[in-house]
Amino acid sequence: MVEWTDFERATIQNIFGIMDYEVVGPAALSRCLVVYPWTQRYFGGFGNLYNAAAIASNPMVAAHGKVVLHGLDRAVRNMDNIKGTYAELSVLHSEKLHVDPDNFKLLADCLTIVVAARMGKDFTGEVQAAFQKFLSVVVSSLGRQYH
Amino acid sequence: MSLSDKDKAAVKALWAKISKSADAIGADALGRMLSVYPQTKTYFSHWPDMSPGSAPVKAHGKKVMGGVALAVSQIDDLANCLLELSERHAFQMRVDPANFKILSHCIIVVIATMFPKEFTPEAHVALDKFLSAAALALSERYR
């Protein structure tokens, strides 16, 4: 089981408590599609992903970014059982969506960058460590049901 | 994933905006790396102080960004320009090249915190490609 310090718990609750999901979700997903363009393979039905501007203004990308970010809420509310919380979603990503689990880390990194940009100097090394630890547990849980 | 002309232009444009803060970026990135990825501390056990903001961390962060500046200035020939540094990392310091990715990530995080408006997705992809290419050039002499 993952051990969380008080600081880590507080940091995660705080970051997601003040997060603007409407902005951060779309920003993280669109950044991922630009910085790691091979991730676009999962969004063939999303229309125009031709360049960064198109991706940034694509309404389906924006909508899906919000879905993904709200999906993280489950982990935020169940930090002591993220593995169990995501068992079903892991099966979905493997069996139905066929997403290479390496991509989870790419999106997690983009989310880290977006949050860092919004928090500025408040995104200290300690905060970064806590946030990245949380995301790595999420990523690991999402990859767990692949076989 | 080699650098296109567009990538090189984007890197130089971003560097022009951030280079004045290079020392601060280097110090923050290095300090962050040592605390977020404690395994990297194994390379600096000879320092009296490895905490973020300490004198050795600041000095070394400045040195690292000097290397980045050099790479930007000779972006068309990273392999040659980083040859000597590659030999030092390979034979003297013997840094596992996996760590280049870790430091690159920390540099990117710091730039995002310090320059949120300038660090657009387009600037991000160009810088990520550049740092990967520089890391590859730095690994050139390993084996």
Side-chain angles (χ1 to χ4, degrees):
Chain A
M1 210 188 85
V2 184
E3 302 280 341
W4 302 100
T5 66
D6 291 342
F7 173 81
E8 286 165 348
R9 282 183 198 275
T11 297
I12 298 307
Q13 298 304 316
N14 181 50
I15 289 180
F16 282 89
I18 60 169
M19 187 176 293
D20 186 348
Y21 285 71
E22 307 293 291
V23 171
V24 172
L29 183 61
S30 57
R31 190 170 283 256
C32 187
L33 295 170
V34 171
V35 178
Y36 308 107
W38 53 94
T39 56
Q40 291 171 25
R41 78 188 300 279
Y42 303 108
F43 302 102
F46 274 33
N48 186 2
L49 300 178
Y50 192 59
N51 54 38
I55 291 170
S57 56
N58 186 311
M60 291 181 81
V61 171
H64 197 67
K66 293 175 205 171
V67 165
V68 168
L69 198 57
H70 280 292
L72 281 177
D73 279 344
R74 299 190 213 187
V76 176
R77 287 195 304 267
N78 291 288
M79 282 178 73
D80 290 314
N81 185 22
I82 295 179
K83 199 167 67 180
T85 302
Y86 281 137
E88 217 183 287
L89 266 176
S90 179
V91 171
L92 176 82
H93 282 76
S94 163
E95 308 285 298
K96 186 150 173 273
L97 304 173
H98 306 293
V99 177
D100 182 342
D102 283 351
N103 291 283
F104 302 147
K105 183 159 194 315
L106 302 180
L107 181 56
D109 281 350
C110 286
L111 180 59
T112 299
I113 300 302
V114 170
V115 169
R118 289 175 73 80
M119 290 181 70
K121 58 177 166 38
D122 290 339
F123 198 70
T124 61
E126 291 82 19
V127 169
Q128 179 181 347
F131 193 64
Q132 288 188 186
K133 177 177 168 179
F134 172 75
L135 288 180
S136 72
V137 174
V138 168
V139 164
S140 163
S141 306
L142 275 176
R144 232 172 159 277
Q145 303 302 325
Y146 281 65
H147 64 94
Chain B
M1 293 201 255
S2 52
L3 295 168
S4 65
D5 289 338
K6 186 167 161 233
D7 294 323
K8 293 178 189 175
V11 169
K12 290 188 175 225
L14 180 68
W15 185 252
K17 293 179 193 145
I18 71 176
S19 58
K20 277 191 310 296
S21 310
D23 292 357
I25 294 172
D28 191 346
L30 197 69
R32 219 170 257 270
M33 181 189 82
L34 295 168
S35 67
V36 178
Y37 304 93
Q39 70 271 23
T40 58
K41 288 198 286 193
T42 55
Y43 293 100
F44 303 101
S45 51
H46 56 285
W47 284 355
D49 189 351
M50 281 193 266
S51 55
S54 67
V57 169
K58 277 163 109 163
H60 200 69
K62 184 173 169 177
K63 213 185 271 188
V64 168
M65 293 311 279
V68 173
L70 177 69
V72 173
S73 72
Q74 297 192 46
I75 202 168
D76 290 315
D77 191 6
L78 289 176
N80 264 320
C81 122
L82 293 176
L83 200 65
E84 203 216 312
L85 271 173
S86 179
E87 295 205 344
R88 268 197 267 155
H89 282 77
F91 301 116
Q92 271 176 34
M93 302 180 271
R94 280 183 265 224
V95 177
D96 189 322
N99 293 290
F100 300 150
K101 228 176 171 194
I102 292 176
L103 182 56
S104 296
H105 173 71
C106 291
I107 290 172
I108 283 177
V109 169
V110 169
I111 292 175
T113 63
M114 290 173 72
F115 301 94
K117 283 197 195 43
E118 291 85 342
F119 201 56
T120 60
E122 294 98 310
H124 180 167
V125 62
L127 186 67
D128 195 50
K129 285 177 77 173
F130 167 72
L131 290 174
S132 304
L136 197 63
L138 219 52
S139 318
E140 177 66 31
R141 305 295 286 161
Y142 272 68
R143 57 176 178 173

